[in-house]
Amino acid sequence: MPGVGIWRTKSVEQSISDTDEPGTRLRKELTAWDLTVFGVAVVIGAGIFTLTARTAGNVAGPSISLAFVLAAIACGLAALCYAEFASTVPVAGSAYTFSYATFGEFVAWIIGWDLILEFALASAVVAKGWSLYLGNVIGASGSTTAHLGPIDFDWGALLIIGAITIVLAIGTKVSSRVSAIITAIKIAVVLLVIVVGSFYINKDNYSPYIPPAEGASSSATGVHQTLFSFLTGADGSSYGWYGLLAAASLVFFAFIGFDVVATTAEETKNPQKALPRGILGSLAIVTVLYVAVTLVLTGMVKYTDLKTGSPLVGDSSATLATAFEAHGITWAQMAINFGGLAGLTTVVMVMMLGQTRVLFAMSRDGLMPRGLAKTGSKGTPVRITVVVGVIVALLAAFFPMGTLEEMVNIGTLFAFVLVCIGVVVLRKTRPDLPRGFRVPLVPLVPILAVLACGWLMLNLSVETWIRFLVWMAIGVVIYFAYGKRKSVLGQRLAAQATQPPEEQLETVTA
């Protein structure tokens, strides 16, 4: 029997059955290749052109390549859990749907509300980044900002979000084809950087691989320090083993996004096989590319030359182009600008796709207005796509994002933790379910994944934790004011409660 009240669970069978509900049916047309493209498209963004150099110079030195490996391991553990869940419950909504089947409706709402925060902010932040790259490409930094009296708005961000909203509304398969073309362009730029840069590698630059630890140039205090520092009183350091682990926490966020693949489960032709291949395959590809780029970067110039304040960098932050400029390869700046523009285009597209699918699943369950879950003639949730497009456009065009990227990170890690725990719970409660993919060494692998994600969450600032808890509190209020009363599952169970006992049993076991 499902739980009662806020802990009522929605069975896997019921979740799958709801996918055939008339008027809210998504079209199944994605393959393992499409999912792999989506995964690579969303993970490889501007971070590969900026995050790598800045972290190598200020935090880890040449060991930045090992930091990427450590981050990939942590991410891979979570990816295994996502692969099992997605192949077992091939329904839109990702961690929201998985949580509904294991922890109950209230936890599912919390994780759905959390994913809304993650995808909406990520889409808006990345769209503003895309606009900056557009300004660089057309040769006038800041030219994508216009003025309406006292109000400034970013027309570049509006442009990309508007175009992507139209593509997503047309259909998921079209989105996949567009994403594949643009992803091919940015991978070509990354490979070009790797090949050209490899001719300028000096092996002496790799020594020492893990530089001696130094005191951090500045220590954050109050709400700006990490939760780990706040709880333990420990001060961080640059370089050394602490710097390596800190770098792993930083570059982990370059992998964020592969979980979006799981949101397309309901639109996949053979989800039991295609989803694990798409999730794990995309993660493997981007890990190889990230490690290769960092090896080339730290081999081209000494890590100290990438440090903020060095003669080569000055007071700004190092980028991938910094290493090429040091060798007089000036055309690299334009190539990297185009690569960043292409990279961010697909990141915005797949993040917005994930946002629409989570909202679609919540709307179909009645936790959001049911009318939003209607699908068009081509099997896409056009209403939700337009609503998401408008909200993200307003966020990106009129609001400065600042350091809200960390809000994206904590939301993602929270979802990872629940999914990893959920695999263990569902193994115990429903061992009979057919699983297209099984996580090896359960419960060891999920426990390791939870510990890895927990460590990364501890490295986020106290300020980020406070904002996250405030957002969650708002979600709790909305659930009790609207979602709990409108829940389709709640109404279904209430109707069953009025039936004679024998009919209740027939309904539950049907």
Side-chain angles (χ1 to χ4, degrees), residues 226-227 253 406 409-410 413 456-462 465:
T226 68
L227 183 61
F253 306 125
E406 282 199 5
N409 302 334
I410 195 170
L413 288 166
L456 295 170
M457 292 177 77
L458 283 174
N459 280 277
L460 295 173
S461 68
V462 174
W465 276 91

Side-chain angles (χ1 to χ4, degrees), residues 112-129:
W113 186 246
D114 166 65
L115 291 173
I116 290 173
L117 171 75
E118 173 193 345
F119 292 140
L121 284 181
S123 300
V125 170
V126 176
K128 291 186 78 68

Side-chain angles (χ1 to χ4, degrees), residues 180-212:
I181 294 171
I182 301 176
T183 300
I185 294 173
K186 68 178 176 183
I187 289 180
V189 173
V190 171
L191 292 176
L192 179 66
V193 165
I194 293 171
V195 172
V196 173
S198 63
F199 288 100
Y200 295 89
I201 289 178
N202 180 354
K203 295 180 180 179
D204 292 339
N205 290 332
Y206 293 131
S207 180
Y209 184 68
I210 301 180

Side-chain angles (χ1 to χ4, degrees), residues 345-403:
T345 299
T346 54
V347 174
V348 177
M349 178 179 292
V350 183
M351 283 294 184
M352 286 182 62
L353 175 68
Q355 173 77 95
T356 60
R357 278 15 180 205
V358 170
L359 269 176
F360 171 80
M362 296 176 73
S363 299
R364 186 166 59 189
D365 290 334
L367 301 183
M368 289 288 189
R370 286 268 292 168
L372 293 176
K374 295 295 182 182
T375 53
S377 59
K378 294 187 178 181
T380 56
V382 178
R383 294 181 184 179
I384 284 181
T385 301
V386 173
V387 169
V388 168
V390 171
I391 292 173
V392 173
L394 290 174
L395 286 172
F398 295 102
F399 292 89
M401 291 296 106
T403 58

